[in-house]
Amino acid sequence: THDHEETHLKAIDYLNQSPSQPFFLSVGFFETHREFPVEHDINPNYCLPPAPLPDTPKTRQDMANYKAMAATLDDKVGQVLRALDDNDLRDNTLVIYTTDHGIAFPGMKCHLTDSGIGVSLIMQGLELFRGGQVVDAMVSHIDIFPTLCDLLNINPPDRLQGTSLMPLVYGEVEAVHEAVFAEVNYHAAYEPKRAVRTSRYKYIRRYDARQSPVLPNVDDGLSKDEWLAHGYAYRAPETEQLYDLIFDPNEANNLASEEKYADVLTEMRTQLNTWMQSTNDPLLVGDVSAPEGAIANDPDELSPTITPKPILKH
């Protein structure tokens, strides 16, 4: 058994040993990384693939396989939550469930469209976090740290860039951000890009001037095979992308070159540049250097499974 398959068991063992309080426990799961299981009872004919994928037999099968692994994840999370209940820890424990990016499908993971940066965020356990409240406000992972500080009456460190979400929890405000920001530097391969999202618009900018996708940053699988079979490897990425998320929620119609959106484009560019300046983004002066000793795939390769090489310069 691989270590990643036992993570939830180690967490349960920790909870069963009456941990000293307060405690912090981070439980990471391998699910739902690829490869997905292929032996299960989920009928692919009733598994609609998420946008931006086409609805084909291959993508439906891929989605069925994903759902099978998601069911395993759901079961493991449930086991950890039951351990909290069994040890009378649920009422004074805040459980935060989230993930780091979109699911491992083309156009999702490692992309800055909403299908790539939109993730789950469920907070449950303490009295304030019960009752099924849904908050539609835009939030970001960097908001979690200051939220915990606020909840615990701790002064947040000055270095934090996020905002407490407690005013949203209390229902005092409808929003805490006018915009949120996202980025990619390295995944399997170098692919520098940045994005800003408001409630209405999304602006994405690439900094690598590529004429083809960075395929090592797209996980191998049936859906990738489907795209590759229809010429995905020859579709040049656009340097700038602007989307109207009200009328184009799947971010398929790039408005960056349309004159009537020129003012919106300028505003979104300005917001992104201001953020990059305020955070001393290294892309403002050139390529982002990888940590010493890092390895990465060649962006021109087909798959992340090709043996990566040491990064000599970036």
mmCIF file of all heavy atoms in Angstrom, residues 32 152 205 229:
data_model
loop_
_atom_site.group_PDB
_atom_site.id
_atom_site.type_symbol
_atom_site.label_atom_id
_atom_site.label_comp_id
_atom_site.label_asym_id
_atom_site.label_seq_id
_atom_site.Cartn_x
_atom_site.Cartn_y
_atom_site.Cartn_z
ATOM 1 N N THR A 32 -8.100 13.417 -6.080
ATOM 2 C CA THR A 32 -8.422 12.797 -7.350
ATOM 3 C C THR A 32 -7.351 13.073 -8.417
ATOM 4 O O THR A 32 -7.660 13.544 -9.516
ATOM 5 C CB THR A 32 -9.764 13.325 -7.855
ATOM 6 O OG1 THR A 32 -9.702 14.777 -7.866
ATOM 7 C CG2 THR A 32 -10.916 12.912 -6.978
ATOM 8 N N LEU A 152 -9.880 33.613 15.841
ATOM 9 C CA LEU A 152 -9.202 33.327 17.097
ATOM 10 C C LEU A 152 -8.720 34.577 17.822
ATOM 11 O O LEU A 152 -8.013 34.488 18.823
ATOM 12 C CB LEU A 152 -8.004 32.399 16.829
ATOM 13 C CG LEU A 152 -8.361 31.038 16.234
ATOM 14 C CD1 LEU A 152 -7.101 30.300 15.806
ATOM 15 C CD2 LEU A 152 -9.153 30.209 17.232
ATOM 16 N N ARG A 205 -3.220 36.726 -18.963
ATOM 17 C CA ARG A 205 -2.088 37.097 -19.808
ATOM 18 C C ARG A 205 -1.003 36.036 -19.705
ATOM 19 O O ARG A 205 -0.658 35.587 -18.616
ATOM 20 C CB ARG A 205 -1.518 38.447 -19.396
ATOM 21 C CG ARG A 205 -0.333 38.852 -20.290
ATOM 22 C CD ARG A 205 0.196 40.226 -19.986
ATOM 23 N NE ARG A 205 1.404 40.496 -20.760
ATOM 24 C CZ ARG A 205 2.146 41.593 -20.650
ATOM 25 N NH1 ARG A 205 1.786 42.536 -19.793
ATOM 26 N NH2 ARG A 205 3.224 41.748 -21.372
ATOM 27 N N ALA A 229 -6.370 14.189 -30.718
ATOM 28 C CA ALA A 229 -6.832 13.580 -31.974
ATOM 29 C C ALA A 229 -7.491 14.599 -32.895
ATOM 30 O O ALA A 229 -7.616 14.360 -34.103
ATOM 31 C CB ALA A 229 -7.814 12.448 -31.666
#
